[in-house]
Amino acid sequence: MKQTTQNWLDLRHDKPSGIESLRAHFTGHAYDPHWHDSYLIGVTEQGVQQFHSRRQQHQSRPGTVFMLEPEELHDGDAINAQGFTYRMLYLSPQQVKQRLAPLTESGVQQHELGFAATLRDDKQLAYAVWHAFEALWHDHPEMIKDAALDRLFLQLGQHPLWRNRNDMIDKDVLLAQRARDWLIAHHTENPGLQTMAQALNIDRFRLSRLFQTHWGLPPHAWLVQWRLCQARRQLAAGCAPVNVAAELGFADQSHLGRWFKRACHLTPARYQLACTNLPDSD
């Protein structure tokens, strides 16, 4: 799915597992700040992949594994004209917990898992990510895909890559979570910040500062990212783009299309085609 002569992106969807695999190349600016509702695990193939996350700038070089958590804000840029190429897997939180639980003594069902580091220079882990990507990308027999994924999660489970995010939560964090939940519950209404602040019984200026501090984006921008994550799920399930736009509170299908292409470098119809092989109606 080439976008320009310099930048290209190709995405494939494994129906049995639901895992998406992405391979892409970018020069210059690649992505504005955004987040996903999946765990992202990938390997840089060529060039230097520069991005910001966790309030730091990272540079992933060939063979480096990069890992991002759900709702972890990040962007993407090339540092020179050579650009960078990478391959990446999108893994749902449910898939990660199910596959890691048998590999740990106490299981992980009661904990929210987070990556201890964003980048890892680990040849065995990089090979496992690469091998799992190849098995899914080329739609190998299910037994081969399962073995490749088992190897990947065995590598993840053997190394201190994880941290349990079960620290004591303060009042501001709880309020930020309430604000997020309120936005989700009222996402079709396009509420204003004052309405949101009144519903949560907080000054709107404090709410705005607190929300951006905790989630990395102001409420309206965070809501757009949430809508885009839901749109990916619904499009992958075969829902018509016009219905997805209406259900998620976009002004119309064109509005959804503009935001989706900006975030994913694909139109909703092209993304849906990659996931479902339905006729391209774009």
Side-chain angles (χ1 to χ4, degrees):
M1 299 179 185
K2 293 192 176 182
Q3 306 300 307
T4 70
T5 56
Q6 292 184 315
N7 299 336
W8 53 263
L9 180 151
D10 200 355
L11 180 142
R12 301 184 186 182
H13 182 90
D14 181 65
K15 289 186 178 180
S17 66
I19 296 173
E20 291 182 3
S21 50
L22 173 74
R23 187 167 182 259
H25 176 83
F26 290 101
T27 59
H29 179 65
Y31 293 105
D32 292 334
H34 67 287
W35 54 264
H36 303 270
D37 57 0
S38 303
Y39 287 96
L40 275 52
I41 303 177
V43 178
T44 302
E45 291 186 27
Q46 167 269 323
V48 179
Q49 181 178 0
Q50 180 171 282
F51 62 96
H52 294 83
S53 71
R54 301 185 182 182
R55 304 182 186 277
Q56 294 182 342
Q57 183 184 83
H58 305 276
Q59 290 189 343
S60 180
R61 300 178 184 276
T64 300
V65 178
F66 57 91
M67 302 179 292
L68 295 164
E69 302 168 12
E71 297 188 30
E72 189 162 275
L73 197 66
H74 60 284
D75 56 13
D77 291 283
I79 66 169
N80 53 39
Q82 181 186 19
F84 64 91
T85 309
Y86 67 99
R87 53 182 62 198
M88 183 171 67
L89 300 174
Y90 294 82
L91 304 163
S92 73
Q94 294 77 17
Q95 290 164 340
V96 169
K97 287 187 177 183
Q98 288 171 1
R99 287 188 174 270
L100 276 179
L103 304 177
T104 58
E105 293 182 2
S106 58
V108 296
Q109 292 87 346
Q110 302 304 316
H111 303 288
E112 185 180 7
L113 294 171
F115 290 120
T118 302
L119 301 180
R120 301 292 294 198
D121 289 316
D122 183 326
K123 291 183 179 180
Q124 291 299 316
L125 178 59
Y127 181 82
V129 175
W130 194 286
H131 187 56
F133 180 95
E134 287 289 305
L136 293 163
W137 186 260
H138 296 290
D139 195 21
H140 288 171
E142 291 306 306
M143 191 172 291
I144 294 178
K145 287 190 283 190
D146 283 340
L149 288 169
D150 286 346
R151 180 171 188 167
L152 169 60
F153 281 94
L154 181 61
Q155 286 296 319
L156 288 170
Q158 284 182 337
H159 299 284
L161 303 180
W162 297 94
R163 57 184 172 84
N164 288 327
R165 298 191 295 189
N166 57 355
D167 299 331
M168 184 177 296
I169 299 177
D170 61 29
K171 291 182 179 180
D172 282 351
V173 173
L174 289 174
L175 182 56
Q177 291 174 341
R178 283 180 56 212
R180 177 194 62 181
D181 294 343
W182 190 93
L183 268 182
I184 293 172
H186 297 82
H187 70 272
T188 61
E189 303 167 17
N190 290 304
L193 187 61
Q194 184 62 38
T195 300
M196 181 179 173
Q198 289 176 347
L200 296 170
N201 195 27
I202 181 177
D203 176 83
R204 70 183 182 92
F205 297 105
R206 179 177 173 233
L207 173 62
S208 183
R209 290 194 301 269
L210 185 150
F211 195 100
Q212 182 150 357
T213 296
H214 191 76
W215 300 113
L217 291 171
H220 70 277
W222 185 94
L223 183 57
V224 169
Q225 295 300 317
W226 180 86
R227 285 169 167 161
L228 290 171
C229 286
Q230 303 309 306
R232 284 176 70 108
R233 288 185 180 183
Q234 294 185 21
L235 291 166
C239 298
V242 64
N243 295 333
V244 173
E247 183 174 334
L248 293 177
F250 289 96
D252 52 30
Q253 185 175 346
S254 296
H255 188 212
L256 165 64
R258 289 194 298 273
W259 274 107
F260 198 91
K261 189 170 184 179
R262 179 178 172 181
C264 302
H265 293 272
L266 293 170
T267 66
R270 292 283 284 173
Y271 174 78
Q272 186 170 72
L273 180 64
C275 295
T276 64
N277 290 320
L278 291 174
D280 191 342
S281 59
D282 191 24

